[in-house]
Amino acid sequence: SPPPPDMNFYFCTSWVLFLEGLSGISGLAVSYFYKNTLKVDPAMLTTVSSLTNLPWTCKPIYGFISDAFPIGGYRRKPYLFIAGLMGFFSWVGMSLLVTGVWSGFTCMLIGSTAIAIANVISEAIVVERSKGEPQEFASHLQSVVWGAASIGGLIASFLSGYLLKFMTDRQVFMLVSVLPLSLVGLALITPDKKVTDRGSAEHERGQMRAKMGQLYRTVMMPEIFYPTAFIFILNATPSTGSAWFYFYSSPKPLGLGFSATFLGSINVVGSIFNLAGVIFFQAFLKKMSFRPILIWGTLVSTFLGLTNLILVFHWNRAYGIPDWFFCLGESAIQSVVGWVATMPIIVMASRLCPEGMEGTMYALIMSVNNLGGIVGSQVGAVLCTYLGVSSTNLDNFWLLVFISNASSILPLALIGWVPAGDPQLVEKLSEEDEERS
């Protein structure tokens, strides 16, 4: 067995995911900024928020660029450095320059790109380290780094509501601009072998077209295509998007009238139980095949999502259950189940990566996962507009909640596309490459 990853490996890879979670500090500030300052409806906020995730669908491109165009002989360090500067300047612009919907979108898009680039670098290191090892080892590494993301999300959830008690939206944006600068320092210690042969980089660029062809052939292999398509479809069902924020924050009787501080508390509970979901998966489910976890996780998530109708119709009040208590309990349970259902997708993506294409293939599969989420958000935004759900009219919000949750079980009809066991494609890809040569 290989030697265990050293502390530098764990720190560098985990910090990027931790920072990814911590960047959520700006979440509530962005929502209030668009709702109260820019006066947009739920559908527009959902559209803008989901489109800022577009950089996460381009992760293979970042992987190709970092592999083929080393800077100063390094393929990892310089790109982390650049990502840190991009993130810093994007949030400074959000704080000082934004006056409209699309200028805000531009700044958020640049900031999202910065985190996505750093994410690709981190994940490539993790996938390379876990390749060829048992599923249990791969699950362990993924649990560690995503556990770091959950801890970052936990801290961000608390601060996102708390900071708004004594800071304006724009002041929060300025504070958040400091976080990406840590990537500049991280770049100095990130594991990265220097490319001493200048011809190797030129060869890498020359092989770009061949790699694209190999990537296409690999993606079209049934063992990869069908699980990846399932991941996309699972995420592409409609989502309620930002409509929940309007329902929570709008004053009674239109909404529930929750304060920014309490919305932060809901997120804190969710983040704590996200981490609990990761720990639960690591402790009890990491050896279990993907299909049963996805089936039961989706069914339970759908059921719990539909119970939100109790809150929308205020049925909980008839039984003496306060709205705030119901929200906290629902957030806790859904977070655990949600992460238990998500971890198999993350682990499966890492196991579908053929040797020699670990970083690129993993980035592509997760990009498809993110693209599915964007499609689901956009479908939800269209549905939100069609149902007439706006900042002043939430009459049909219940129908949006029902459709979004009920439709999430439809992809289970294609569960046969998910591998029954642990996918190992190294031998088959090698055999096919030998046949072509």
Side-chain angles (χ1 to χ4, degrees):
S1 63
D6 59 23
M7 291 305 298
N8 189 52
F9 167 88
Y10 279 122
F11 177 76
C12 291
T13 54
S14 298
W15 179 260
V16 174
L17 273 293
F18 173 76
L19 189 66
E20 184 180 327
L22 195 62
S23 63
I25 289 175
S26 62
L28 277 179
V30 168
S31 296
Y32 277 108
F33 180 71
Y34 272 86
K35 179 188 176 187
N36 297 332
T37 303
L38 302 183
K39 308 294 184 183
V40 303
D41 281 332
M44 177 57 76
L45 179 54
T46 298
T47 297
V48 170
S49 298
S50 63
L51 288 180
T52 57
N53 290 321
L54 278 174
W56 292 85
T57 67
C58 304
K59 291 171 65 176
I61 297 176
Y62 313 143
F64 271 134
I65 292 175
S66 65
D67 287 340
F69 298 94
I71 301 174
Y74 291 100
R75 292 189 169 105
R76 306 290 186 233
K77 298 174 182 288
Y79 290 98
L80 279 179
F81 186 90
I82 293 171
L85 294 180
M86 286 175 60
F88 170 71
F89 286 114
S90 68
W91 285 106
V92 169
M94 191 74 178
S95 177
L96 302 178
L97 304 177
V98 171
T99 56
V101 173
W102 296 110
S103 59
F105 165 74
T106 301
C107 287
M108 292 168 61
L109 188 70
I110 296 172
S112 180
T113 302
I115 296 296
I117 292 173
N119 178 276
V120 167
I121 299 300
S122 174
E123 288 182 344
I125 297 172
V126 171
V127 172
E128 288 170 3
R129 183 62 186 80
S130 63
K131 190 60 195 174
E133 303 306 320
Q135 178 181 325
E136 181 179 356
F137 182 80
S139 297
H140 163 71
L141 292 185
Q142 294 291 348
S143 296
V144 168
V145 295
W146 284 98
S150 295
I151 293 173
L154 170 61
I155 297 172
S157 298
F158 171 75
L159 292 177
S160 64
Y162 179 74
L163 290 176
L164 288 174
K165 292 178 64 175
F166 53 89
M167 297 177 72
T168 65
D169 304 335
R170 293 184 185 273
Q171 288 172 339
V172 172
F173 299 154
M174 183 60 75
L175 176 64
V176 171
S177 71
V178 178
L179 300 179
L181 284 179
S182 65
L183 293 176
V184 174
L186 190 72
L188 301 177
I189 62 173
T190 296
D192 190 10
K193 290 184 178 180
K194 187 172 184 178
V195 180
T196 55
D197 182 7
R198 295 182 60 183
S200 65
E202 295 177 3
H203 177 73
E204 188 76 28
R205 291 191 288 272
Q207 293 295 311
M208 188 70 71
R209 180 174 296 181
K211 280 195 170 186
M212 291 295 291
Q214 184 187 23
L215 180 63
Y216 174 78
R217 293 193 302 271
T218 304
V219 169
M220 296 310 294
M221 291 171 61
E223 296 91 337
I224 293 180
F225 178 82
Y226 287 111
T228 304
F230 178 84
I231 290 173
F232 172 83
I233 295 171
L234 188 66
N235 285 277
T237 55
S239 67
T240 51
S242 299
W244 272 112
F245 169 73
Y246 283 75
F247 179 70
Y248 282 154
S249 62
S250 296
K252 297 178 180 180
L254 179 64
L256 299 182
F258 289 156
S259 66
T261 304
F262 183 73
L263 291 181
S265 299
I266 294 177
N267 292 335
V268 167
V269 171
S271 296
I272 290 174
F273 284 87
N274 276 343
L275 184 57
V278 173
I279 295 172
F280 183 83
F281 177 85
Q282 168 73 4
F284 302 107
L285 303 177
K286 64 183 179 182
K287 295 182 180 179
M288 185 177 294
S289 61
F290 302 124
R291 284 186 189 177
I293 302 177
L294 287 171
I295 291 173
W296 287 105
T298 301
L299 289 175
V300 175
S301 293
T302 299
F303 172 76
L304 292 174
L306 289 173
T307 62
N308 280 314
L309 291 173
I310 296 173
L311 185 67
V312 175
F313 288 118
H314 309 304
W315 293 335
N316 54 293
R317 298 175 184 174
Y319 295 94
I321 303 175
D323 293 338
W324 64 267
F325 185 82
F326 187 92
C327 286
L328 292 178
E330 190 78 4
S331 176
I333 299 173
Q334 285 188 326
S335 295
V336 172
V337 175
W339 261 107
V340 167
T342 299
M343 284 303 297
I345 294 176
I346 296 171
V347 176
M348 181 169 66
S350 70
R351 304 300 286 169
L352 289 170
C353 300
E355 187 174 10
M357 301 182 67
E358 295 92 348
T360 301
M361 181 56 67
Y362 183 79
L364 176 62
I365 295 173
M366 295 310 293
S367 293
V368 170
N369 178 71
N370 295 326
L371 181 61
I374 293 174
V375 170
S377 294
Q378 295 304 311
V379 173
V382 171
L383 190 60
C384 190
T385 301
Y386 177 77
L387 295 175
V389 176
S390 68
S391 58
T392 57
N393 184 357
L394 297 174
D395 292 345
N396 287 330
F397 176 58
W398 72 271
L399 192 53
L400 177 66
V401 173
F402 176 79
I403 295 174
S404 297
N405 284 283
S407 62
S408 64
I409 64 172
L410 298 179
L412 290 183
L414 305 174
I415 193 65
W417 290 3
V418 174
D422 181 20
Q424 291 289 340
L425 301 173
V426 177
E427 293 81 7
K428 178 165 184 177
L429 186 66
S430 299
E431 292 172 1
E432 292 192 1
D433 283 344
E434 289 176 1
E435 290 174 3
R436 292 192 185 95
S437 60

